[in-house]
C-alpha cells in the first residue's frame, strides 16, 4: 500500500487543503445523493473543524453530508470527553448540516449493545462494497504511541475483528470506548490521517519510514483494500521523516 503524504506548513494550511479537498468531492455529489464522513476525536480535528467553519461554511454543500464517528468515548453526549460534543460545538452547530444527517454513537448507552446498534445503522445508511459499508471519507488521528480511532497498541485483535464496531479500553484512563474496527476502516473509499505537532514526529517517522517494529502500531494497519490513503501532516509532525517513504 503506497502511502500518499501531503506536508503542509501549518495546521491552517492543512485545514485549507482539507477544506478544498472536501469541497471538490462533496460538491460534485449529485442532488439526492450523500457523502458519508466518519469523524475522529481529539484536538487536531477540533482546530480543523473551526477553520472549516470560518472558511468553508458557504463553500461546501453541507446538506449532502452524512456525519458519523469512527470512535466515541463511553460518556454522555454533554460530557467534556465526548467526541460528539466536541464536533457539535466546533462544527455541526455552526454549518447547515440537517440534524437528521448526524448519527452519533450513544456513549451513554450499554456499550456492547450500542456497538451493535451503531453497526446496524452504518449497514443501513452506508452503501456496501464487497458486503462491507464503504465510507466516502474516514478521518483518523494518530496517538503518540501509534493508536488510531480507539484501537490501542497490544490490541491489534480489534483491527482484525469480524465486527465493524467493537469495544476498547483506554490503557491509561481505563475509559471504555466504542471504536470502528480495521474491517470498517480499511473498506473506506478515502481515508485521511490528520497529524500535527512535534509530539507526533517520532511516531510518524516510525510508521512511514517503516522503522523496526512499525507493524506493531495500530495506525500501521490502516491499509485500505481499494480506497485511497492520505497522510495529511504539518511540517512539525513530518520533521523526522526521511525520504525513504514506504
Ligand atoms: C479520540 C480519537 C483519537 C485521536 C488521537 C489523536 O477519540 O481521541 O479518535 O484516535 O484521533 O488520539 O488526537 P489528537 O489529534 O488530539 O492528537
Amino acid at each position: 500500500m503506497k502511502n500518499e503524504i501531503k506536508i503542509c506548513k501549518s495546521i491552517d494550511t492543512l485545514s485549507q487543503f482539507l477544506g478544498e479537498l472536501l469541497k471538490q468531492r462533496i460538491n460534485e455529489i449529485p442532488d439526492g445523493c450523500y457523502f458519508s464522513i466518519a469523524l475522529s476525536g481529539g484536538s487536531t480535528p477540533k482546530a480543523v473543524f473551526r477553520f472549516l467553519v470560518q472558511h468553508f461554511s458557504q463553500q461546501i454543500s453541507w446538506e449532502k453530508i452524512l456525519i458519523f464517528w469512527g470512535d466515541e468515548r463511553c460518556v454522555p453526549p454533554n460530557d467534556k470527553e465526548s467526541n460528539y460534543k466536541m464536533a457539535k460545538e466546533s462544527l455541526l452547530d455552526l454549518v447547515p448540516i440537517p440534524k437528521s444527517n448526524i448519527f452519533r454513537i450513544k456513549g451513554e448507552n450499554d456499550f456492547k449493545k450500542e456497538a451493535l446498534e451503531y453497526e446496524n445503522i452504518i449497514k443501513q445508511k452506508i452503501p456496501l462494497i464487497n458486503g462491507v459499508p464503504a465510507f466516502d471519507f474516514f478521518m483518523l488521528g494518530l496517538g503518540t504511541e501509534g493508536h488510531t480511532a480507539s484501537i490501542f497498541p497490544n490490541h491489534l485483535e480489534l483491527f482484525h475483528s469480524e465486527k465493524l464496531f467493537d469495544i476498547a479500553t483506554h490503557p491509561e484512563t481505563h475509559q471504555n470506548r466504542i471504536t470502528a474496527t480495521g474491517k470498517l476502516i480499511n473498506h473506506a473509499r478515502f481515508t485521511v490521517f490528520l497529524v500535527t505537532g512535534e509530539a507526533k514526529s517520532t511516531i510518524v517517522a516510525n510508521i512511514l519510514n517503516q522503522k523496526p517494529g512499525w507493524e506493531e502500531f495500530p495506525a500501521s494497519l490502516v491499509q485500505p483494500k481499494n480506497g485511497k490513503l492520505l497522510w495529511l501532516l504539518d511540517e512539525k509532525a513530518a520533521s523526522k521523516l526521511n525520504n525513504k517513504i514506504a
Side-chain angles (χ1 to χ4, degrees), residues 18-244:
L18 182 68
E20 292 296 342
L21 182 151
L22 287 171
K23 173 181 151 188
Q24 187 262 321
R25 283 171 175 256
I26 292 164
N27 293 1
E28 68 188 18
I29 297 277
D31 287 348
C33 295
Y34 291 100
F35 186 84
S36 57
I37 297 181
L39 299 180
S40 70
S43 55
T44 307
K46 186 171 183 177
V48 171
F49 293 163
R50 287 182 168 157
F51 187 98
L52 293 178
V53 168
Q54 243 186 318
H55 301 275
F56 287 86
S57 51
Q58 306 300 323
Q59 297 190 46
I60 289 178
S61 306
W62 295 95
E63 74 285 354
K64 292 184 179 176
I65 301 174
L66 299 180
I67 293 281
F68 300 84
W69 275 263
D71 68 326
E72 182 57 278
R73 293 80 180 276
C74 294
V75 296
N78 59 355
D79 187 294
K80 64 179 174 28
E81 278 285 300
S82 165
N83 287 341
Y84 166 76
K85 179 180 192 295
M86 182 276 280
K88 181 176 189 298
E89 292 170 353
S90 317
L91 177 68
L92 304 177
D93 283 352
L94 306 169
V95 291
I97 294 184
K99 297 284 175 277
S100 56
N101 286 19
I102 300 170
F103 303 87
R104 72 176 180 93
I105 299 173
K106 298 187 174 84
E108 69 276 24
N109 287 355
D110 172 280
F111 51 73
K112 287 195 175 121
K113 280 186 195 156
E114 183 57 18
L116 265 179
E117 268 298 301
Y118 202 66
E119 177 161 330
N120 289 332
I121 290 170
I122 299 285
K123 285 175 178 171
Q124 285 163 27
K125 299 287 181 186
I126 308 289
L128 307 181
I129 295 182
N130 301 324
V132 182
F135 273 92
D136 291 306
F137 186 90
F138 212 107
M139 182 186 289
L140 291 173
L142 176 67
T144 52
E145 84 309 1
H147 84 260
T148 193
S150 284
I151 304 178
F152 296 97
N154 307 318
H155 286 284
L156 298 189
E157 74 281 1
L158 287 176
F159 225 94
H160 306 296
S161 170
E162 267 313 298
K163 298 173 186 167
L164 300 182
F165 280 85
D166 215 328
I167 308 305
T169 307
H170 192 284
E172 276 124 46
T173 64
H174 305 299
Q175 181 186 63
N176 289 317
R177 305 274 186 97
I178 293 172
T179 185
T181 63
K183 182 173 183 179
L184 184 64
I185 293 170
N186 278 339
H187 272 84
R189 293 169 182 275
F190 187 22
T191 303
V192 178
F193 275 103
L194 301 182
V195 191
T196 59
E198 185 69 37
K200 303 290 175 73
S201 59
T202 301
I203 189 66
V204 164
N206 285 344
I207 293 173
L208 292 183
N209 290 148
Q210 296 193 349
K211 296 190 176 173
W214 72 282
E215 306 94 332
E216 299 309 309
F217 301 119
S220 300
L221 300 181
V222 175
Q223 297 171 18
K225 299 218 175 331
N226 302 304
K228 180 177 173 184
L229 173 61
L230 171 65
W231 285 78
L232 198 44
L233 312 171
D234 72 354
E235 285 183 344
K236 288 178 181 167
S239 58
K240 291 179 182 156
L241 280 179
N242 63 39
N243 53 9
K244 292 193 276 321

